[in-house]
Amino acid sequence: SYYLQKSTAMGDMANDVDFPNFNGEGTKAKIIFDELQKLLPEQGESIVKKVNGVYLFKVYDQGVYNRPTAQSKYVFWLLDLKNGSGSVRQVDKSEPCDLMYFGSDDNLENILTGLQNPAV
């Protein structure tokens, strides 16, 4: 299960419960965001012109039937495709964004690779 929510200021919505954070090691999301970070210096400006948005991703590493459990660990990434040549970085908590993704590592991979359509 996952959700996407459009917002201009997510505020504390993503921080409503104190989840254990980790650095994302071993997740597919970390691989995807690391690759995006390598792509942005050369192609970021053209991507920013097309996308013009800031995206917050709150990804959990494991779950049961794609739902987080008490053992799930969370990591946040902020993908800024609105400013300069773009940037991607890990953050400790929610930050202002245009769209927030909250869901499993597997669902994020499926959405970003086109295997699954996001439900808004």
Side-chain angles (χ1 to χ4, degrees):
S1 177
Y2 63 92
Y3 69 82
L4 297 171
Q5 177 150 356
K6 186 174 175 150
S7 175
T8 55
M10 290 305 295
D12 290 330
M13 181 180 167
N15 299 320
D16 54 358
V17 178
D18 187 21
F19 293 114
N21 288 322
F22 77 118
N23 67 2
E25 285 300 322
T27 63
K28 298 166 193 154
K30 179 161 178 33
I31 295 167
I32 290 167
F33 289 118
D34 285 350
E35 290 301 313
L36 275 170
Q37 195 167 27
K38 292 175 191 174
L39 179 75
L40 289 175
E42 290 182 20
Q43 299 179 24
E45 284 185 37
S46 65
I47 295 171
V48 165
K49 287 178 186 176
K50 293 175 186 174
V51 176
N52 193 34
V54 177
Y55 303 90
L56 178 70
F57 297 86
K58 182 178 181 180
V59 181
Y60 59 88
D61 67 336
Q62 60 183 337
V64 176
Y65 301 112
N66 280 324
R67 297 196 183 281
T69 66
Q71 292 76 34
S72 295
K73 297 182 220 162
Y74 294 79
V75 62
F76 290 90
W77 276 280
L78 190 71
L79 178 59
D80 182 346
L81 298 176
K82 193 178 227 177
N83 301 295
S85 60
S87 65
V88 61
R89 62 187 170 93
Q90 280 187 276
V91 293
D92 292 332
K93 60 182 183 173
S94 178
E95 292 194 10
C97 61
D98 298 312
L99 186 82
M100 184 180 97
Y101 167 87
F102 172 65
S104 73
D105 187 43
D106 289 335
N107 280 345
L108 180 63
E109 178 193 33
N110 289 342
I111 290 168
L112 294 179
T113 58
L115 294 174
Q116 183 174 335
N117 290 326
V120 179

